[in-house]
Amino acid sequence: MKPTEVQAGHGHPDKWKWYDYFTFNVDHKVIGIQYLVTSFLFYLVGGFMAVLMRTELATPDSDFLSPDLYNAFLTNHGTIMIFLWIVPAAIGGFGNYLIPLMIGARDMAFPKLNAIAFWLNPPAGLLLAASFLFGGGAQAGWTSYPPLSEITANLPQTLWCLALVMVGTSSILGSVNFLVTIWKMRVPSMKWDEMPLFCWAMVATSILALFATPVLAAALILLMFDINLGTSFFKPDAGGNVVVYQHLFWFYSHPAVYLMILPIFGIMSEVIPVHARKPIFGYKAIAYSSLTICLVGLFVWVHHMFTSGTAPWMRIFFTISTLIVAVPTGVKIFSWVATLWGGKIRYTTAMLFAVGLLSMFVFGGLSGVTLGTAPFDIHVHDTYYVVGHFHYVLFGGSVFGIYAGIYHWFPKMTGRMLNEPLGKVHFVLTFIGTLLTFTPMHQLGMSGMPRRVAMYDPQFAGLNQLVTVGAYILAVSVIPFYINVIWSWMAGEKAGDNPWRALTLEWTTASPPIIENWEVLPVLTHGPYEYGMDKANQVGPAGEPTEATPL
Ligand code: HEM
Ligand SMILES: [Cu+2]
């Protein structure tokens, strides 16, 4: 059946009840919210582990956690933050909720597959929890390099592998769904170059996930064979090769960093024009740069392995490819700044997080470029410099972007506004916390402090204490946010259909949208970003044309 033939409301209740969110529901909006809520819970678990680790690192000695427990928290913090927080929130949460609404479809192409993809996530979390009950958690880091991963905590390591295979499967199923939905289910009047940029970002994300994720699954299955079945794929003493694991792992995990940032770039391209009241600068450049990042991003993985005995030609090749990948990223940054330039900027919390992201991400991207250069990387590889880099891009980038997205679309998802003053407190605490936590790490790394240690040389104590204070500020920063979300969801100010007076299609339906999204499918009357231009000037707060209120 073609999407346009589906009639609204058939065989469904008018509105979902709260308990529908705990079932195998196939509505893309329910699934989007299921992803977001579960990932925000995992965020708290991962954050709690970070606070414990930073408490340990407040002093040079190992005096708070045992070293084994420290390693288990380190491993599971990274795993949870990547695979159960950022990826499911950015891709599963926003992707599922927004894509059908943005392209004028009633649901995703394969709703049941979509629900299966979501329901693979909670059991993965339970497997990680079980790994703590049976043997103290996996300890080999989120990268789980052999031989370490084959000689420490075998059962927890196996459970860890199984958990990752599950979230990987979820990711593959989700990607197929996104691609088919965007390809086939746009309202007939929407051409490719009239599609919101978030959808372009999700096309690139999905292609990347489809190419890269099966390789991770292969690596983890071989690792499980080695651990449990006596094979020796990665055992050097029996003819195996540890570096093969590194290649397989990074063939997935470098693209994985783009899985965590491309959807966020998509969010940026939606939030900035709406709150700057200007058309997006360089629509095509932004859309195609997502695809370029996707393509080039598949050929840079060895920059994680410059110190693994890599051949000189490989160092040269992968240094160059890594530097090239910074170009399309720069194109986007330039386009967003140009969009802001001369705009009638509204300093909403969503916009503050988007602009905050810009500054943080430029810094993190540049430290990435330094790391991509083999001669420098060889000095700082596996030091805190790398930890500083990836937290700048992951926290200052991905997490800021998820926050921006929540502040922007919460009114659509729930029908209620988030409290703006509380949002600003949240932003200020997050911004200061991020600077204080992750900036000194670069200095620590350049002075030689290794990563993944529970004890360190006392000369590093001062800066580490600063980092720990920053981490506590970040821990406190989430309190106003969670209070805001819970309180506003129950009793916040009513949002109306289109509180930001935005032009993309999700704002043309009710907040929250009805089941199957529209009574009658929308027809495009203007492009997604024509702020300040003639036709779009006529769009009022409810999405329908008004004469009176220019944008
Ligand atoms: C201009 C863009 C970027 C460049 C050139 C770049 C480059 C690099 C390089 C060369 C490394 C390896 C350092 C080492 O281990 O010695 C690295 C590590 C890392 N990067 Fe980036 N990066 C960029 C953007 C990003 C983004 C956007 C993210 C995620 C949102 C990210 C996440 C990470 C992570 C998680 C690691 C550490 C992996 C680990 O060893 O545990 N990077 N980056
Ligand atoms: Cu990389």
Side-chain angles (χ1 to χ4, degrees), residues 39-41 43-44 403 478-487:
S39 60
F40 268 96
L41 291 176
Y43 181 33
L44 289 183
Y403 283 147
V478 299
I479 296 172
F481 176 72
Y482 281 80
I483 292 178
N484 198 350
V485 166
I486 294 169
W487 180 78

Side-chain angles (χ1 to χ4, degrees), residues 82 142-143 145 250 254 256-258 260-261 265 303-306 322-323 325-326 329 361 364-373 377-378 380-382 386 389-390 393-394 398 451-452:
I82 290 175
W142 84 281
T143 52
Y145 279 7
W250 288 114
H254 178 80
V257 312
Y258 296 119
M260 292 186 277
I261 205 67
F265 286 169
H303 66 211
H304 294 272
M305 302 168 52
F306 285 143
T322 302
L323 299 188
V325 101
T329 315
F361 190 81
L366 287 177
S367 66
V369 170
T370 63
L371 285 170
T373 317
D377 182 66
I378 287 164
V380 293
H381 176 63
D382 268 349
V386 176
H389 156 67
F390 69 70
V393 280
L394 285 173
S398 305
R451 66 189 281 203
R452 297 180 169 160

Side-chain angles (χ1 to χ4, degrees), residues 53 56-57 65-74 384 453-454:
M53 283 189 289
E56 167 64 68
L57 293 172
L65 303 170
S66 73
D68 281 353
L69 195 57
Y70 181 91
N71 287 343
F73 283 150
L74 175 87
Y384 257 80
V453 287

